[in-house]
Amino acid sequence: MSRIPQNKIIFFITSVFDNPNSGPATFARILHKYFTRDGLNFKIITSDCDKPDKNIIVISKTRIKSLVYYNLWKAAKKEIKKYPDNDIIIHFNNSFPYLFFGKIGDKCIIQVNDYYTASSGLYQFKLFRPRPFIRHTLRKFTESISIKKADLIVFNSYFTRNFLISTYNIPLLRCEVVYKSVDFEKLNFDHLPEKINDILFIGNNYYIKGLDILIEAIALFEMPIILHIVGPAQLDDQLNKKIEQLPKNIQIILVGALEQENLYSLMRQVKLLVIPARVEALGVSVIEALGMGLPAITSGSGGLKEVLEGYPDICSDENNLNSKHLFNQIMLIFNNYTQYQALFNKERNKIRIKFNAETMVKKLYALYHQ
């Protein structure tokens, strides 16, 4: 890995850093860890860090959440003026709305973390209420402006890249795919299920991640099932009503947000991860499960096919968006669990190589060096 010249400074702009349940925040923490280790001139500007070091610049939070993007952009613009003789790379940890405010630095890279913003918005729960509709429209507008102004766009899956190229008519030469990684140093234990028929669901936006589909599926079971729901602190009335109508053999544990170490501990104990997502750019939670050897069932939406390449079709079947089909798939794994667990244990090393932090960092080094 060739050294990046000392006169080149990378400013990484991210609205999230400490947040334990955010994929972009996990990405930011991994970059900070590895680039600090390597002595790179890599500085982070964020509003979400309680214990910053010399390489992290923290701005104040804002009462209006969306205003933080402008304040981060303004802070970056101010900070780079301190280095008039340096080659400045600005890497935004979002594709919106930063470059709407204008280009700064010598080279602007934007990170596209999902394809939801570029979509028609049909997946947004209650989208047709005025406020969500306006918010989504503004996000898509500012993203389209940022995409046009960026020197380089980094996508976290080929599906997301192809979707945005089609939506915004982006030249392929300005696009790169860098898979988000998992810090497998923290994921240093095996999947050893201690519980019987426990299912794990992970996702902050439970509608997009398909929690309603999963609840309809487990309602069909006659044997005892425990579903652990990690992510949302509370559910809406419609979903709570479905849960109330579940038979007595089904137990729901609403776990809420979990720190990474606690999440990994829970993953170690359950029997199966099920995320029948309607939309998924990559699926970091699925990568974490596979890296541990935990069997997983998804819908195969978006980048999930790339993550589950080489695994049985059952793991990434788009028909899993149908609750009756999903029930049959879960039952199939439970009935042949020893076979599936052995397969997932065998494949986990491939996942640890493909989505390794060193692999991701090496590719970013090359992009920064250009």
Side-chain angles (χ1 to χ4, degrees):
M1 189 156 49
S2 58
R3 294 291 300 171
I4 294 176
Q6 283 298 307
N7 72 323
K8 187 172 285 191
I9 303 177
I10 295 94
F11 285 92
F12 188 78
I13 319 302
T14 180
S15 60
V16 287
F17 185 83
D18 280 345
N19 189 334
N21 302 299
S22 164
T26 302
F27 178 62
R29 290 194 298 271
I30 290 175
L31 294 191
H32 174 258
K33 172 184 173 179
Y34 280 83
F35 289 142
T36 299
R37 177 202 67 181
D38 295 341
L40 186 68
N41 280 332
F42 184 84
K43 301 180 184 298
I44 289 177
I45 302 179
T46 186
S47 61
D48 175 39
C49 183
D50 290 334
K51 297 179 180 179
D53 60 24
K54 64 178 182 178
N55 296 313
I56 300 178
I57 300 158
V58 182
I59 69 166
S60 300
K61 296 182 184 295
T62 58
R63 290 185 179 180
I64 303 172
K65 288 185 178 180
S66 57
L67 187 59
V68 73
Y69 297 111
Y70 174 71
N71 285 355
L72 288 167
W73 176 87
K74 188 169 66 173
K77 185 178 181 181
K78 180 181 178 181
E79 193 68 27
I80 64 179
K81 288 181 179 178
K82 298 177 183 178
Y83 307 93
D85 300 324
N86 291 82
D87 186 6
I88 304 295
I89 296 175
I90 306 292
H91 186 167
F92 295 106
N93 195 19
N94 253 325
S95 52
F96 65 89
Y98 295 110
L99 292 187
F100 174 77
F101 307 122
K103 286 188 69 171
I104 52 179
D106 298 298
K107 181 177 182 179
C108 283
I109 301 173
I110 58 174
Q111 185 82 30
V112 179
N113 296 310
D114 63 61
Y115 58 94
Y116 167 70
T117 299
S119 75
S120 62
L122 294 176
Y123 301 109
Q124 172 67 44
F125 191 44
K126 300 175 182 175
L127 174 69
F128 297 106
R129 290 185 178 183
R131 187 174 294 177
F133 178 78
I134 291 170
R135 186 186 303 120
H136 185 269
T137 301
L138 288 173
R139 282 165 69 110
K140 186 172 182 180
F141 173 70
T142 56
E143 179 174 80
S144 67
I145 297 296
S146 291
I147 290 283
K148 291 175 183 177
K149 290 183 177 181
D151 298 301
L152 183 67
I153 307 114
V154 176
F155 301 91
N156 62 355
S157 70
Y158 286 95
F159 181 93
T160 303
R161 183 199 68 176
N162 296 342
F163 191 95
L164 266 75
I165 283 177
S166 174
T167 303
Y168 296 133
N169 194 27
I170 310 167
L172 182 60
L173 289 173
R174 290 201 291 128
C175 301
E176 290 284 348
V177 174
V178 178
Y179 282 136
K180 292 284 186 69
S181 74
V182 171
D183 195 346
F184 289 111
E185 291 179 7
K186 293 183 178 180
L187 197 70
N188 59 356
F189 43 68
D190 300 335
H191 170 239
L192 298 170
E194 299 174 5
K195 301 179 180 179
I196 301 174
N197 300 338
D198 277 43
I199 296 172
L200 176 62
F201 170 89
I202 304 171
N204 293 321
N205 189 321
Y206 55 82
Y207 177 76
I208 283 180
K209 301 291 185 180
L211 178 57
D212 55 320
I213 300 169
L214 176 55
I215 288 174
E216 290 172 5
I218 64 172
L220 301 174
F221 278 94
E222 296 181 357
M223 61 185 183
I225 295 287
I226 299 176
L227 173 61
H228 304 261
I229 301 173
V230 175
Q234 58 184 12
L235 308 177
D236 71 354
D237 293 340
Q238 188 176 5
L239 207 52
N240 280 324
K241 188 175 181 179
K242 286 187 177 184
I243 291 174
E244 289 171 5
Q245 295 172 345
L246 287 170
K248 292 184 179 180
N249 57 298
I250 309 299
Q251 181 183 352
I252 302 292
I253 300 177
L254 191 59
V255 181
L258 279 183
E259 294 288 339
Q260 197 173 52
E261 290 182 5
N262 294 331
L263 174 60
Y264 290 169
S265 179
L266 180 57
M267 277 185 172
R268 186 173 189 258
Q269 300 172 53
V270 300
K271 210 165 185 181
L272 181 64
L273 175 75
V274 183
I275 306 180
R278 292 177 168 92
V279 178
E280 185 60 85
L282 186 65
V284 172
S285 297
V286 177
I287 294 170
E288 291 171 328
L290 299 179
M292 188 184 290
L294 170 62
I297 293 178
T298 77
S299 61
S301 297
L304 287 169
K305 288 280 188 185
E306 296 168 48
V307 172
L308 287 154
E309 184 180 7
Y311 283 85
D313 291 342
I314 185 177
C315 304
S316 56
D317 186 350
E318 62 183 19
N319 292 316
N320 290 336
L321 291 168
N322 177 285
S323 57
K324 289 183 180 178
H325 187 84
L326 181 61
F327 160 74
N328 289 328
Q329 304 284 59
I330 294 172
M331 182 64 80
L332 180 63
I333 286 188
F334 280 170
N335 288 340
N336 302 277
Y337 195 76
T338 302
Q339 170 191 338
Y340 278 102
Q341 187 178 25
L343 186 151
F344 277 78
N345 277 332
K346 180 182 176 182
E347 295 295 320
R348 64 183 178 172
N349 285 336
K350 293 180 182 178
I351 290 292
R352 290 178 176 234
I353 293 170
K354 186 174 181 179
F355 298 99
N356 188 276
E358 292 280 1
T359 304
M360 179 185 73
V361 168
K362 185 176 181 179
K363 192 157 187 179
L364 284 173
Y365 254 98
L367 295 181
Y368 292 153
H369 201 280
Q370 290 177 0

